[in-house]
Amino acid sequence: GVAAIGMAVKLMKDFVDKALELRQSLGTTAIESARLAGNMTVAGVQAKLWGGSAQEAEAAVTGLVQEFGTLSVVSLGVSRQIGSLTGQFGISGANAAKLLKSMEAINGASIETNINLISSVGALARAEGVAPAQVLNDIAESTEIFAQFAKDGGQNIAKAAIEARK
């Protein structure tokens, strides 16, 4: 019983610390900071379930706010999906956010749709025997170049990145 209470107090302290850190770094209200901290926690837990890094998932949530410039892009569902994405395929949090913003600019699709597209690229890379993290990070780090050739929705970019990594 005492251990459970101690664990609950530690989890609550960690949550409050995360919310305060977000409030200071993003200038959000206490309520917005608490919501964002909750979404980061969800993303981190989801990433861990896939065997990934909670820190990268949390960085992806923060990166989405920075890339899109608004808190509204980070819903509970998006947080869960971005946690799964970083956990399954090992893409860095910063690169996941950058790639999602670039894809939104290229194809105009929703974040959820683009997360699904990135997941299919990761699965395709894995099926081709290539490390998905390397392919996805390559694409994210070269989005400006790829954007010039992405008018068909980006599938040719994914295939080119996989072949280049092979």
Side-chain angles (χ1 to χ4, degrees):
V2 173
I5 292 172
M7 181 66 108
V9 169
K10 183 189 180 322
L11 290 173
M12 189 60 111
K13 182 187 178 320
D14 290 347
F15 179 81
V16 170
D17 289 346
K18 189 181 299 184
L20 287 173
E21 182 182 322
L22 287 168
R23 186 166 185 193
Q24 290 175 346
S25 66
L26 298 176
T28 55
T29 67
I31 292 171
E32 291 168 331
S33 298
R35 184 181 69 79
L36 195 56
N39 287 343
M40 289 174 71
T41 301
V42 166
V45 168
Q46 193 70 27
K48 283 184 177 181
L49 289 174
W50 286 100
S53 166
Q55 290 79 15
E56 287 299 334
E58 291 175 4
V61 171
T62 305
L64 285 174
V65 173
Q66 293 168 341
E67 289 288 333
F68 285 84
T70 179
L71 298 173
S72 64
V73 298
V74 184
S75 67
L76 188 61
V78 166
S79 298
R80 195 174 303 121
Q81 284 184 298
I82 199 82
S84 293
L85 183 71
T86 60
Q88 274 185 292
F89 301 112
I91 185 172
S92 75
N95 280 343
K98 182 178 179 181
L99 185 55
L100 285 167
K101 178 60 178 172
S102 296
M103 290 176 73
E104 188 250 359
I106 291 168
N107 66 16
S110 69
I111 290 177
E112 292 88 349
T113 299
N114 286 328
I115 289 173
N116 290 333
L117 179 59
I118 292 170
S119 292
S120 67
V121 171
L124 180 61
R126 188 172 284 139
E128 292 288 330
V130 180
Q134 292 177 333
V135 171
L136 293 172
N137 284 316
D138 285 348
I139 294 171
E141 291 166 3
S142 304
T143 54
E144 292 167 5
I145 295 167
F146 288 137
Q148 297 171 7
F149 303 99
K151 300 304 177 200
D152 71 346
Q155 286 294 45
N156 61 337
I157 292 170
K159 290 176 184 171
I162 291 168
E163 289 303 316
R165 185 51 71 174
K166 275 185 176 179

